[in-house]
Amino acid sequence: MITVDPAAEHERVALTNLLQLYVYDWSELHALDVGEDGRFDDYPIDAYWHDEWRHPFLIRVDGKLAGFALVSGRSRLTSSNGVFDMAEFFVMRRYRREGVGIAAACAVFDLFKGPWEVRQRPSNVEATAFWRRAIAKHTNGAYREEIWNDAVWNGPVQTFSIV
């Protein structure tokens, strides 16, 4: 069973640890190195427990941690309030290609009604393919995709609305 639940403040350490795995995956696409302590720089997540428009979630499979989703209630592209942005999304390799990511993404979309933006870096071709599948499944293909290339963002962006 796949569940997506808000990450409580006492689960911050678990989310921080999962973020290390997430950044490790990114290190394959970008030149990211660990520090002398063997860790990547910490991702700034404090705001997810202070800003009411930010939402951290933990993804579990049969009760075991499997990933996370970080959702923002502001557009990364235009700074507009009320546009939901999938800021970060991660499923551990063990659970990939089993439907966990699509099920978790759809569960997150259902939590927030209204307009959505999902962005990918051009170098992350697998992520773009994943998001196209997930969004198409959840919206029955009713989404738009643009390639952004400006000072704010560079890469594919899918936009859609959940009613």
Side-chain angles (χ1 to χ4, degrees):
M1 183 164 119
I2 300 163
T3 59
V4 176
D5 298 304
E9 191 150 3
H10 73 271
E11 296 172 306
R12 183 189 302 231
V13 171
L15 181 55
T16 298
N17 291 339
L18 288 169
L19 279 156
Q20 285 290 305
L21 300 174
Y22 176 70
V23 175
Y24 173 72
D25 277 2
W26 271 104
S27 72
E28 188 174 46
L29 300 170
H30 300 281
L32 302 174
D33 293 311
V34 296
E36 288 302 312
D37 62 354
R39 292 177 47 85
F40 292 98
D41 289 341
D42 283 334
Y43 185 94
I45 60 168
D46 289 346
Y48 281 89
W49 283 274
H50 301 306
D51 297 342
E52 64 183 40
W53 52 274
R54 295 183 200 257
H55 310 278
F57 296 94
L58 291 173
I59 301 166
R60 289 186 169 83
V61 175
D62 296 329
K64 296 178 181 148
L65 281 175
F68 64 84
L70 300 178
V71 176
S72 170
R74 289 187 184 161
S75 168
R76 167 87 184 264
L77 305 172
T78 65
S79 299
S80 298
N81 289 326
V83 176
F84 298 101
D85 175 77
M86 187 68 76
E88 309 293 347
F89 185 87
F90 173 74
V91 172
M92 291 172 52
R93 290 183 183 273
R94 176 186 192 288
Y95 298 105
R96 293 182 190 170
R97 293 178 177 64
E98 296 180 7
V100 172
I102 288 178
C106 291
V108 172
F109 295 150
D110 283 340
L111 293 171
F112 301 97
K113 306 299 185 205
W116 272 88
E117 297 171 346
V118 180
R119 303 164 286 102
Q120 303 90 52
R121 296 286 180 193
S123 59
N124 200 346
V125 190
E126 287 182 19
T128 301
F130 165 79
W131 285 113
R132 286 174 179 155
R133 286 190 312 274
I135 295 165
K137 178 180 179 172
H138 198 64
T139 66
N140 293 315
Y143 73 95
R144 206 174 89 203
E145 182 172 305
E146 295 179 66
I147 304 298
W148 279 65
N149 190 10
D150 61 18
V152 175
W153 185 255
N154 177 26
V157 178
Q158 296 81 29
T159 56
F160 54 98
S161 191
I162 300 298
V163 291

